[in-house]
Amino acid sequence: MRNSLLVLHRWVALVTSIVILIVALTGSSLVFEGAIDRGLNPHLWRVTPAAAPLSLDTLARRAQAAVPGAAITGFVVAQADDRAYFVQAPPIQIFIDPYTAVVLGTRAQADFNKSLPRRLHVLHTTLMAGDAGGTIVMIVTLAALLLTISGVVLWWTDKLWRIRWSASWKRIVFDLHHALGIAASLVLFTITASGAVIHSRAAGDAIARLDARPRAAVPKQPATDSGARQLSFDSLAQVARGAIPGASLSLLSAPEKTTLPVVVALKFPEDRTPGGRSRVYVDRFRGTVLLAESSREAERGTAINNVMRSVHTGDLLGKPTEAVWLIAALVLASQSISGFLMWWNGRGARAALARKSPS
């Protein structure tokens, strides 16, 4: 039984090692996804905090003046005091100081899609190969989960913790593979299992069925007179905040297509995802709430799906868990390399054993 499991572990690792290495390395870098963009573009992001941000409508007017003809469709609100907001004016992102309304710069969506953090994100999730790449990543994530479990089972027989630094480099590689793998196994199980759920629509749907009631469908914008005017951004934001008290505004999206409602994303202090998990859909002309979904009131299945990204990325407890997850992702990458070296180093021994075996 152990030999069969060892063969399975070895060949699954060899077949998937390159993709696991790519996914692990890009995953570790995505801990710094936002920081990378801010570090590469400090002129777009960095502001000096002041007493309170200006109104959204004031910011919209300044952004509109800076990019004449652009249709302002919403805002992404910074979650840190020293960062700019950016105004959505597809296909342009307008970065603006929320305290002074000074426009810091603009960036085309196409340029953002070519940026380093965005490329790393797409490489991590789809290998830059669309739906087919996403399927490959899901399969490889399941393979990494299998390798984590089978690795623990194989380790249990010998329980190798010691790294013999005075031994040959081959033995050091062997010891490191076992010691690092078991040390990171619990976090790697968490990362790979949650990653598999995130990539699998079937798994997400199965978890959602834990809800006592089906989740409400996304509402449509009610019909109105052709001459009706959209409410101000501040009014729409106020309606959303009133629908889910205690949550802060993270995004307001008013699509240019006026047959769609305004969508407002809100974030509670305990939320660990960048934009929060609460949503309010607002009639853009009447200001009535069409649907409000508070993450604090989510049923069991929805709550599990809501937290799954934080589990996968290590955002659960902020910087401490992000650091642990980063180290674990680097260990996973190193396992691909050390596992391949172990296989390469053992070719002679396996060949000799095969020659001795009876035909």
Side-chain angles (χ1 to χ4, degrees), residues 106-183:
T106 63
R107 178 169 65 184
Q109 184 67 42
D111 291 333
F112 170 68
N113 291 338
K114 296 175 184 176
S115 67
L116 176 61
R118 186 59 187 169
R119 287 184 183 274
L120 288 171
H121 188 102
V122 175
L123 183 60
H124 179 72
T125 56
T126 67
L127 302 176
M128 293 187 175
D131 291 341
T135 301
I136 293 171
V137 170
M138 183 183 70
I139 293 171
V140 168
T141 303
L142 288 170
L145 176 60
L146 173 63
L147 290 171
T148 300
I149 297 171
S150 60
V152 171
V153 174
L154 290 168
W155 173 86
W156 189 257
T157 303
D158 301 318
K159 299 182 180 64
L160 295 174
W161 279 103
R162 181 184 175 191
I163 301 173
R164 304 176 189 181
W165 297 107
S166 60
S168 68
W169 72 269
K170 293 181 181 180
R171 180 68 200 200
I172 293 173
V173 167
F174 181 87
D175 288 347
L176 281 171
H177 186 82
H178 288 78
L180 291 177
I182 196 64

Side-chain angles (χ1 to χ4, degrees), residues 217-336:
V218 174
K220 296 181 179 180
Q221 167 64 40
T224 190
D225 297 335
S226 58
R229 297 187 62 181
Q230 178 179 297
L231 297 176
S232 70
F233 290 118
D234 288 309
S235 297
L236 294 166
Q238 183 177 1
V239 169
R241 290 192 186 100
I244 304 182
S248 60
L249 184 70
S250 62
L251 179 145
L252 188 152
S253 177
E256 195 169 0
K257 189 176 181 181
T258 56
T259 54
L260 298 174
V262 169
V263 184
V264 183
L266 299 110
K267 182 176 181 178
F268 284 109
E270 69 270 16
D271 289 340
R272 293 296 181 178
T273 50
R277 289 297 185 188
S278 299
R279 299 289 183 271
V280 180
Y281 297 82
V282 184
D283 184 323
R284 64 199 304 157
F285 302 110
R286 302 173 182 86
T288 53
V289 175
L290 305 175
L291 175 65
E293 297 178 314
S294 169
S295 61
R296 287 182 174 175
E297 299 173 1
E299 295 194 49
R300 184 186 307 169
T302 299
I304 293 172
N305 278 328
N306 282 349
V307 80
M308 198 58 64
R309 182 189 182 278
S310 297
V311 170
H312 184 65
T313 59
D315 291 332
L316 282 170
L317 299 176
K319 297 303 179 185
T321 46
E322 286 179 4
V324 173
W325 262 237
L326 167 63
I327 293 169
L330 293 175
V331 167
L332 180 59
S334 74
Q335 294 294 91
S336 297

Side-chain angles (χ1 to χ4, degrees), residues 28-158:
S28 65
S29 69
L30 290 180
V31 172
F32 308 104
E33 183 176 6
I36 291 172
D37 190 32
R38 293 190 296 272
L40 293 175
N41 302 284
H43 62 289
L44 295 178
W45 286 105
R46 193 171 297 159
V47 302
T48 301
L54 299 172
S55 69
L56 296 181
D57 293 317
T58 298
L59 300 179
R61 287 193 294 272
R62 293 291 183 89
Q64 185 77 72
V67 186
I72 306 300
T73 63
F75 301 81
V76 174
V77 177
Q79 299 302 301
D81 293 340
D82 60 349
R83 295 177 197 165
Y85 289 12
F86 79 73
V87 181
Q88 298 170 324
I92 301 296
Q93 299 171 340
I94 305 171
F95 292 80
I96 191 165
D97 186 323
Y99 307 105
T100 65
V102 171
V103 172
L104 305 176
T106 63
R107 178 169 65 184
Q109 184 67 42
D111 291 333
F112 170 68
N113 291 338
K114 296 175 184 176
S115 67
L116 176 61
R118 186 59 187 169
R119 287 184 183 274
L120 288 171
H121 188 102
V122 175
L123 183 60
H124 179 72
T125 56
T126 67
L127 302 176
M128 293 187 175
D131 291 341
T135 301
I136 293 171
V137 170
M138 183 183 70
I139 293 171
V140 168
T141 303
L142 288 170
L145 176 60
L146 173 63
L147 290 171
T148 300
I149 297 171
S150 60
V152 171
V153 174
L154 290 168
W155 173 86
W156 189 257
T157 303
D158 301 318

